[in-house]
Amino acid sequence: MEIINRKARMASLTRKLRRENKTIGLVPTMGALHAGHLSLVQEARQMCDIVIVSIFVNPTQFGKNEDFDKYPRDLTADAAMLAEYQVDYVFAPTAAEIYPSGFSTYVWVEGFSETLEGEIRPGHFRGVATVVAILLNTIRPDFAFFGQKDAQQSIIIKRLTKDLGFETEIVVMPIIREESGLAMSSRNAFLSPEEHQAAAIIFRSLKDAKIAVREGERNASILAQIVSERINSEPLANLDYVAVVDAETLEPVEKVDDREILIAVAVRFGKTRLIDNTILNRKQ
Ligand code: AMP
């Protein structure tokens, strides 16, 4: 496995691989890898000849008062893990490599970037869409792998590739959870032991809503209320939002019908902000 820091080297290498008719899979990450990331890597390994994992804590997707400086970074441990998963290349550029002086082009996926996470984190998806466009354009992978954990992000990336004509196929993989049901996240490392235990309430509340749907409840506000009441019953939890939306368009819905309907939440425990979601009318 080779670690590459330069964009130009990454681009010339993947040009060569394409000429050799190798299929290329890209797994974009911010590092601090866990089983959620590794599930994407495994899928990429199965589907593609060449697997590239990018590790880049992208400054443009963090707000001023967010945790960019504190975000966990451990390239050595990450690289050791990826080598075991037969990854071919790790692309780990510096911020100056991605955003050299004079950089001034940003990607804005209008209508999808202002709601939910975007409402609370203005500019977040502008940073995400911009860095993903740069990665896709540099590497030109056949497939890029994202997690359902960041449902809004996956939807935005799909829209972006369609709109800008990238030929990469976006593959979205299921959420990997800890035994308690807590969705795996690099930010879980910030939780105190008490908060970590308490955070299991998020998945329990989503499950409650799913059970209610199974038992016939269709009203979106009642389902949102089931989740908010359960989360608010946990003294360490502070609910940012709970939303019931169309899983493809992110538009708010009033009723659960035949479309896939997503229920998405963001919850703060102390200074740590966690997100999670589930498709209400899908079995898994
Ligand atoms: P991040 O490093 O947090 O930017 O995540 C990189 C990719 O891994 C994104 O596509 C995430 O959606 C995905 N991911 C993060 N956590 C999980 C998880 N628990 N299960 C599945 N995918 C995940």
Side-chain angles (χ1 to χ4, degrees):
M1 190 182 78
E2 188 187 339
I3 300 179
I4 294 172
N5 306 114
R6 296 278 178 198
K7 225 171 89 170
R9 160 111 179 97
M10 196 71 254
S12 69
L13 186 85
T14 44
R15 242 189 331 265
K16 178 170 157 278
L17 291 166
R18 271 194 305 280
R19 274 200 303 272
E20 293 166 359
N21 283 327
K22 302 269 202 245
T23 55
I24 301 173
L26 170 66
V27 182
T29 80
M30 298 204 299
L33 301 179
H34 51 66
H37 300 112
L38 295 173
S39 73
L40 309 186
V41 173
Q42 274 176 312
E43 185 69 8
R45 187 65 287 168
Q46 289 206 342
M47 285 178 65
C48 307
D49 299 323
I50 302 292
V51 177
I52 303 174
V53 176
S54 62
I55 297 184
F56 180 60
V57 184
N58 175 35
T60 60
Q61 72 186 64
F62 287 79
K64 268 204 191 96
N65 299 316
E66 292 182 5
D67 53 359
F68 175 69
D69 290 331
K70 262 187 25 193
Y71 198 84
R73 292 165 172 87
D74 192 346
L75 184 59
T76 315
D78 288 346
M81 235 184 264
L82 294 175
E84 278 189 33
Y85 279 75
Q86 278 81 47
V87 166
D88 298 287
Y89 301 98
V90 173
F91 182 42
T94 59
E97 184 68 14
I98 297 295
Y99 303 110
S101 85
F103 185 95
S104 63
T105 304
Y106 293 88
V107 179
W108 179 246
V109 183
E110 200 169 274
F112 293 77
S113 303
E114 303 88 335
T115 62
L116 306 176
E117 282 303 283
E119 192 170 341
I120 298 201
R121 306 180 68 188
H124 170 65
F125 289 116
R126 174 183 184 257
V128 170
T130 301
V131 77
V132 170
I134 295 169
L135 290 171
L136 294 182
N137 201 30
T138 303
I139 295 172
R140 310 221 168 181
D142 297 279
F143 301 94
F145 298 83
F146 292 86
Q148 174 67 18
K149 160 88 184 347
D150 299 274
Q152 188 174 11
Q153 169 172 284
S154 299
I155 291 169
I156 287 175
I157 305 297
K158 280 187 181 166
R159 190 70 251 167
L160 151 89
T161 50
K162 246 193 205 151
D163 291 351
L164 297 185
F166 284 106
E167 286 176 4
T168 303
E169 186 177 317
I170 303 303
V171 181
V172 181
M173 298 296 293
I175 302 176
I176 303 295
R177 300 180 178 281
E178 296 181 1
E179 216 166 299
S180 71
L182 176 64
M184 295 218 178
S185 163
S186 308
R187 289 191 169 98
N188 291 353
F190 296 142
L191 298 168
S192 71
E194 296 74 30
E195 289 169 341
H196 198 139
Q197 208 175 359
I201 194 77
I202 303 174
F203 184 56
R204 272 190 240 124
S205 74
L206 295 176
K207 249 166 95 179
D208 284 352
K210 224 165 153 149
I211 290 168
V213 170
R214 210 174 304 149
E215 289 173 352
E217 184 57 67
R218 293 287 175 269
N219 185 309
S221 15
I222 293 179
L223 292 163
Q225 200 183 344
I226 289 172
V227 170
S228 60
E229 278 176 5
R230 187 84 198 257
I231 289 177
N232 289 332
S233 75
E234 168 51 62
L236 294 178
N238 286 294
L239 183 64
D240 264 356
Y241 65 79
V242 46
V244 182
V245 298
D246 180 310
E248 279 195 8
T249 62
L250 290 179
E251 274 163 23
V253 299
E254 281 176 12
K255 282 210 162 345
V256 175
D257 49 29
D258 293 343
R259 298 168 291 176
E260 289 214 316
I261 304 296
L262 184 82
I263 187 158
V265 293
V267 188
R268 282 174 289 114
F269 289 84
K271 285 189 181 147
T272 310
R273 196 166 170 282
L274 303 177
I275 58 170
D276 201 349
N277 68 80
T278 193
I279 306 270
L280 280 171
N281 44 3
R282 197 194 277 168
K283 275 219 176 81
Q284 276 304 307

